[in-house]
């Protein structure tokens, strides 16, 4: 009975995170950021790794400062490293932890590009490329592979220089110089 109550609570948290993701996708970044912070306070730094990974992955998209975006994406990666396939399967039977890594590393690569740290970006881009084989032939997998390709092309064009041009437009929109989309599509929980 206690195990069933625990599972129901875990599912309720993923539902709540999903509701804030919908708010974010609806365009209300400020409100989403505030609600994510409230949920983060409930989950805590030592809370369920799936909750932390999911929330941090999306919280990164609400950030205006690329350094803050990087910090949240690093939290997501750290939480993914703590996840087990069993825990992920409790949420959705078709998911596996290894399928999280291409997107997580691509997001980190995009963050490092925004911060002018091309070597760190290349390292995470290599990790994303190495892990991409686990993704399916679907819109999500295609989007991640396309994101990797775009960022690889961009880094190849830029060469070894460490400082990209300033990012035009509103900060935190996942856009790089020239308006390129840097990260992958986010998959809703």
């Amino acid at each position: 009975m206690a195990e069933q109550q625990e599972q129901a609570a875990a599912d309720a948290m993923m539902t709540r995170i999903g509701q804030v993701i919908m708010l974010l996708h609806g365009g209300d970044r400020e409100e989403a950021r505030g609600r994510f912070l409230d949920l983060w306070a409930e989950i805590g730094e030592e809370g369920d790794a799936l909750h932390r990974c999911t929330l941090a992955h999306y919280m990164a998209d609400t950030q205006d400062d690329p350094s803050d975006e990087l910090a949240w994406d690093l939290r997501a990666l750290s939480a993914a490293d703590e996840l087990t396939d069993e825990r992920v399967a409790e949420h959705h039977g078709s998911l596996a932890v290894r399928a999280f890594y291409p997107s997580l590393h691509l997001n980190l690569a995009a963050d490092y590009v925004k911060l002018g740290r091309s070597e760190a970006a290349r390292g995470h881009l290599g990790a994303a490329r190495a892990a991409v084989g686990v993704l399916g032939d679907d819109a999500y997998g295609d989007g991640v592979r396309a994101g990797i390709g775009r960022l690889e092309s961009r880094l190849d064009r830029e060469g070894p220089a460490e400082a990209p041009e300033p990012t035009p437009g509103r900060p935190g929109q996942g856009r790089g110089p020239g308006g390129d989309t840097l990260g992958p599509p986010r998959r809703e929980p």
Side-chain angles (χ1 to χ4, degrees):
M1 182 67 163
E3 185 176 320
Q4 287 175 337
Q5 288 174 333
E6 239 177 75
Q7 183 60 42
D11 290 343
M13 180 55 75
M14 288 302 289
T15 298
R16 291 170 65 199
I17 292 169
Q19 290 168 339
V20 180
I21 291 168
M22 289 190 309
L23 184 67
L24 174 63
H25 287 171
D28 196 342
R29 290 175 66 244
E30 295 296 323
E31 181 68 19
R33 181 174 33 234
R35 290 188 188 190
F36 277 141
L37 284 172
D38 291 343
L39 291 175
W40 186 261
E42 279 185 53
I43 295 167
E45 293 284 335
E46 301 300 319
D48 182 295
L50 180 60
H51 298 161
R52 288 184 290 120
C53 181
T54 305
L55 190 150
H57 183 64
Y58 286 95
M59 179 64 150
D61 290 342
T62 70
Q63 302 306 302
D64 294 327
D65 183 312
S67 295
D68 293 336
E69 186 175 0
L70 173 64
W72 283 106
D73 279 329
L74 287 169
R75 285 181 184 103
L77 180 64
S78 177
D81 288 343
E82 297 174 30
L83 274 172
T84 64
D85 283 332
E86 293 77 23
R87 174 60 186 107
V88 173
E90 287 173 11
H91 174 65
H92 195 285
S94 69
L95 292 178
V97 175
R98 67 186 180 279
F100 290 18
Y101 287 98
S103 175
L104 293 171
H105 283 291
L106 178 55
N107 287 327
L108 285 162
D111 296 342
Y112 283 119
V113 166
K114 290 175 194 174
L115 292 167
R117 297 177 56 192
S118 62
E119 287 310 309
R122 289 177 200 281
H124 281 283
L125 197 55
R129 175 63 73 193
V132 80
V134 302
L135 298 178
D137 285 333
D138 56 17
Y140 176 75
D142 292 345
V144 172
R145 284 185 285 275
I148 291 169
R150 283 190 304 270
L151 198 52
E152 283 175 336
S153 293
R154 176 166 172 213
L155 286 170
D156 288 346
R157 284 190 313 270
E158 289 180 0
E162 282 295 316
E165 300 171 29
T167 302
R170 196 166 103 206
Q173 293 299 300
R175 304 262 179 219
D180 297 334
T181 299
L182 296 178
R186 303 284 178 154
R187 176 178 278 171
E188 293 189 33

